[in-house]
Amino acid sequence: NAGWPEAAMAGALGFCLNGPRFYGGQPSGDGWMNENGRKSLDAPDIRHALRLYLRGCILLGVLVAIVTFIAH
């Protein structure tokens, strides 16, 4: 489940994500992630989120390379 990283992204970018949904016509009862964040998002917000994601992936790759180098 993506709840933890989704909540981290919502907080980092100041977005309000997720919220109540319906499954099979029944409300899920889920709350908002970062309820005080912006709910109206557009294409530049998606690009901003993708840039943050890319930086996180690069950082993870660098950390894995360092640990691999040190372990051998």
Side-chain angles (χ1 to χ4, degrees), residues 22-71:
F22 287 84
Y23 294 106
Q26 300 297 317
S28 68
D30 293 337
W32 292 98
M33 292 183 189
N34 194 24
E35 190 169 355
N36 295 325
R38 276 190 311 118
K39 290 182 181 176
S40 178
L41 306 174
D42 52 20
D45 293 317
I46 294 170
R47 285 190 289 276
H48 190 193
L50 289 172
R51 282 193 304 270
L52 179 61
Y53 172 74
L54 178 61
R55 282 182 276 192
C57 289
I58 290 169
L59 178 60
L60 178 61
V62 168
L63 291 173
V64 167
I66 289 170
V67 168
T68 301
F69 180 76
I70 292 171

